[in-house]
Amino acid sequence: MQASSQSDTPAEAQTLKRGLNARHIRFMALGSAIGTGLFYGSAEAIQAAGPSVLLAYLVAGAAVYMVMRALGEMSVRNPVSGSFGHYTTQYLGPLAGFLTGWTYAFEMIIVCLADITTFGLYMGFWYPGVPRWIWVLSIVFFIGAINLLSVKVFGELEFWLSLLKVGAIVAMIAGGLGIMLFGMGMGADSAATGVHNLWEHGGFMPNGVSGLIASLAVVVFAFGGIEIIGITAGEAKDPGRTIPRAINAVPMRILLFYVLTLFVLMSIFPWTRIDSKSSPFVQIFDSLGISSAATILNIVVISAAVSAINSDIFGAGRMLFGMAQQGQAPRGFASVSANGVPWMTVAVMTVALLVGVLLNYLIPENVFLLIASIATFATVWVWLMILLSQVAMRRKMSPEEISQLKFPVPFWPLGPLLAIAFMAFVIAVLGYFSHTQKALGVGVVWIALLCLAYRLWVYPRRLPEREPVPAAQGSD
């Protein structure tokens, strides 16, 4: 997929534009990480671990926070397009950077496949007779068109979509507490609600420690995409200020949203009655007879899926743009439209998502868990490379340089080392359980193919090290 070289295109057309402010970046991260994993995937995690899934979200959330701080340390020190793909190349070598960048793009494609799959499921709440693949096809083309607009328009759309679902989560928590305390919307024959539901249906850990560990495949998938904060550094107006603010605020908010939300859900509705046929949010309110709330929540989870797909395509596009500048992706991926958008990457991502249409046509019942597990491998690989890159960067820095870091990682070096151990453990978990072994196999084959591709096409024509093209110019 070779396109004309960068020299054939005016320089100003080869740059991204700084059109994202702190508000956009903060809500883009929320949009990417609060989506399918919470509104739909949480049902799979609850089935595996029962109420103890809350512990899984707490532990995974702490590890994710260390990943984000490691990424933040590097992004504030050197804000570039391509973000952690660039850092991995710089600190771990070009092969590691190649593997990381392409695996992130692969992660975003797989996560998008999960999101468009759940979009079709959500639409089935209203139109059960319409084949799911029709909805999947429509959302693929809609999101592709949105991502071809200027980054400022994209940022504004993502802000409002994310604001809608964050507001809905807050309202859901408040409404759930109201049901628990005052019995709002419940009939006389409804099951009793309260915290006791967390241990009265087989115990807090009904499936034992193995169930808790098994849930990690879906729990980690739920947090996937938050690393997009680092990707936005190349288009942030003031990365030295906006990146730290976004990283400090977003991970804790996501953790609170996940834990508080699932705590309320499993308190007002026994976890044993939550299935994976639709969003547990919709199931709960529909079962309680609050039909209007179920309809509203379905609108919210649909907007959440659209928001997550939107953010993921953005992230993959910017990663491939940065890699193209480093000679690790076809030069065509560095082609930028008049709006400052890497249009080729958006087009390729849109075509790749058409695979989701085919999967939903062929195996509509089994597609989500397989996709989520594959995405978990890709997500953990990317996070592991971020952590290792930050460790390698620190090892190459002098004490004076370290003291001048504006956003250093906390609990160094214990925090990053524990996070690295957690990522390795999650990869082992994928290989241990039979229902996720295929995902690990796909991941291993993917890495092997990338190594082969690097050896055949990238290594023989490596260019001398050169300064990267400026990440951004001007603003919308």
Side-chain angles (χ1 to χ4, degrees):
M1 191 178 293
Q2 294 285 344
S4 59
S5 68
Q6 290 180 331
S7 60
D8 298 332
T9 308
E12 63 271 15
Q14 294 298 331
T15 59
L16 304 178
K17 295 186 177 181
R18 295 194 186 275
L20 299 176
N21 56 36
R23 173 173 58 91
H24 294 145
I25 292 171
R26 191 176 302 119
F27 278 86
M28 279 177 62
L30 285 168
S32 183
I34 297 183
T36 300
L38 175 60
F39 290 108
Y40 179 75
S42 57
E44 298 277 359
I46 290 171
Q47 286 181 338
S52 66
V53 73
L54 297 176
L55 295 178
Y57 280 105
L58 284 170
V59 173
V64 169
Y65 180 67
M66 291 309 304
V67 173
M68 295 309 301
R69 287 301 300 262
L71 179 56
E73 179 176 294
M74 295 185 291
S75 296
V76 172
R77 185 169 184 256
N78 184 22
V80 294
S81 61
S83 185
F84 44 86
H86 175 92
Y87 307 139
T88 307
T89 297
Q90 182 175 359
Y91 301 119
L92 298 180
L95 174 59
F98 180 81
L99 295 177
T100 301
W102 280 103
T103 300
Y104 176 74
F106 177 68
E107 173 198 349
M108 292 298 96
I109 291 174
I110 298 300
V111 171
C112 281
L113 291 179
D115 288 328
I116 62 176
T117 296
T118 52
F119 175 81
L121 286 168
Y122 297 154
M123 293 303 295
F125 179 77
W126 290 315
Y127 305 100
V130 178
R132 189 191 307 169
W133 67 268
I134 293 178
W135 300 116
V136 173
L137 183 63
S138 64
I139 196 62
V140 166
F141 285 120
F142 174 75
I143 294 296
I146 290 296
N147 271 265
L148 291 175
L149 300 176
S150 72
V151 70
K152 186 174 183 179
V153 174
F154 165 85
E156 282 296 319
L157 175 65
E158 191 58 30
F159 168 76
W160 289 108
L161 285 173
S162 297
L163 184 63
L164 172 63
K165 64 185 175 186
V166 169
I169 291 173
V170 173
M172 201 289 306
I173 292 174
L177 291 174
I179 293 173
M180 290 170 58
L181 297 175
F182 309 110
M184 296 185 306
M186 296 183 63
D189 57 344
S190 298
T193 65
V195 180
H196 58 84
N197 275 326
L198 297 180
W199 59 78
E200 284 193 350
H201 302 277
F204 182 72
M205 197 177 292
N207 297 324
V209 176
S210 62
L212 176 64
I213 294 175
S215 71
L216 288 174
V218 179
V219 169
V220 170
F221 162 75
F223 288 105
I226 192 173
E227 64 275 6
I228 197 174
I229 291 177
I231 296 289
T232 62
E235 291 168 274
K237 291 181 179 178
D238 185 5
R241 182 177 65 90
T242 57
I243 298 299
R245 288 178 61 184
I247 287 176
N248 282 332
V250 173
M252 187 56 64
R253 291 179 184 178
I254 290 175
L255 183 59
L256 290 175
F257 285 151
Y258 272 92
V259 175
L260 271 180
T261 301
L262 296 183
F263 170 81
V264 170
L265 289 180
M266 290 185 291
S267 294
I268 66 176
F269 200 72
W271 73 271
T272 53
R273 294 170 60 185
I274 297 175
D275 60 45
S276 58
K277 294 181 180 178
S278 63
S279 168
F281 290 71
V282 176
Q283 288 180 56
I284 288 169
F285 283 92
D286 195 37
S287 297
L288 291 175
I290 313 176
S291 57
S292 59
T295 298
I296 293 172
L297 279 170
N298 205 49
I299 294 173
V300 170
V301 295
I302 285 173
S303 68
V306 172
S307 169
I309 299 166
N310 209 22
S311 293
D312 294 340
I313 290 181
F314 172 92
R318 271 54 180 183
M319 174 60 72
L320 293 175
F321 173 84
M323 292 183 68
Q325 292 181 325
Q326 293 183 304
Q328 294 182 333
R331 287 185 179 272
F333 286 153
S335 300
V336 179
S337 70
N339 290 329
V341 174
W343 64 271
M344 179 66 79
T345 61
V346 174
V348 171
M349 282 289 290
T350 301
V351 172
L353 289 183
L354 293 178
V355 174
V357 180
L358 180 62
L359 289 176
N360 278 276
Y361 177 76
L362 297 176
I363 50 171
E365 300 303 320
N366 303 315
V367 66
F368 179 79
L369 185 58
L370 176 62
I371 288 175
S373 300
I374 296 173
T376 297
F377 173 85
T379 298
V380 171
W381 176 276
V382 169
W383 290 348
L384 187 59
M385 291 299 104
I386 290 173
L387 291 165
L388 293 175
S389 297
Q390 186 268 335
V391 171
M393 181 189 75
R394 282 288 191 106
R395 290 174 62 88
K396 295 179 180 180
M397 296 173 65
S398 67
E400 292 75 19
E401 290 174 321
I402 293 175
S403 66
Q404 294 173 4
L405 288 171
K406 296 180 180 179
F407 193 49
V409 167
F411 311 115
W412 170 266
L414 182 60
L417 292 178
L418 289 176
I420 289 171
F422 176 79
M423 300 307 161
F425 178 72
V426 173
I427 292 177
V429 167
L430 292 177
Y432 180 79
F433 292 98
S434 59
H435 61 281
T436 56
Q437 286 174 350
K438 289 182 180 178
L440 180 60
V442 170
V444 170
V445 170
W446 168 257
I447 296 297
L449 289 176
L450 284 181
C451 289
L452 180 62
Y454 179 85
R455 185 64 182 85
L456 292 177
W457 293 299
V458 179
Y459 181 81
R461 55 185 181 83
R462 284 186 303 175
L463 300 175
E465 289 295 323
R466 55 193 173 96
E467 290 296 321
V469 178
Q473 285 184 356
S475 63
D476 280 359

